[in-house]
Amino acid sequence: MTVSAVYHVSSTASGGGRDGHVQSESGRIDLDLQPPKELGGSGDGSNPEELFSAGYAACFLGALRLVSKNAGTPVPDDATITVKVGIGKDDVDGGFGITAAIDAYLPGFDQETADAVVAQAHAFCPYSKATAGNISHEVTARV
C-alpha cells in the first residue's frame, strides 16, 4: 500500500508503558495510563485499548458517512458506531492479541442497506484496513 499522507500526528509514552503516561504533540491528549483490573492493574486510568476503541469508532463513523453519502443514502445524525476492543492471550503464539467488535446503529435504514454500507465502510476505513488479517473483527449493523 502506498499512502500520500496529508496529516501526521505523534504521541509520546513515558513511564511504564501501560502503567505510565501518554501525551500527544498537540497536548489535547495528556493522560495517565493504568492497566485495567482484568490485566492486574488498578483500572484508575485510561489504557491503550480504550484509546484505540475511541479512535476506531470515530474513524469508522467518518468512513460510514462518506460511503453512505456516495451511495445516495446519507447516514442520519443519530447514527452511532460503538467499537468494543478486547485484549487477551493469543492462543496461537502465547503472546497477546486484540479483537474489535464494531456495532453500527443506523436508525431509519432497512437492514439490507445498512449491511451493505457498513460492509463498504469496513472495507474503506483506514483502521479496518490497517488491522485486516491482524485482529479478529466482528461487524454488525442494527437498524
Side-chain angles (χ1 to χ4, degrees), residues 1 52-53 55-56 59-60 83 85-86 97-102 121-139:
M1 174 188 318
F52 181 64
S53 72
Y56 202 161
C59 186
F60 198 96
V83 177
V85 171
I98 61 173
T99 62
I102 302 164
H122 188 48
F124 183 77
C125 174
Y127 277 54
S128 292
K129 291 187 334 186
T131 58
N134 299 309
I135 70 172
S136 171
H137 290 95
E138 179 185 311
V139 183

Side-chain angles (χ1 to χ4, degrees), residues 70-125:
N70 290 344
T73 55
V75 172
D77 289 341
D78 56 349
T80 60
I81 300 295
T82 301
V83 177
K84 184 176 184 178
V85 171
I87 184 169
K89 184 177 176 187
D90 184 329
D91 295 328
V92 175
D93 71 10
F96 283 88
I98 61 173
T99 62
I102 302 164
D103 178 66
Y105 173 59
L106 299 170
F109 274 52
D110 63 78
Q111 191 65 52
E112 184 178 339
T113 303
D115 290 340
V117 296
V118 166
Q120 290 171 358
H122 188 48
F124 183 77
C125 174

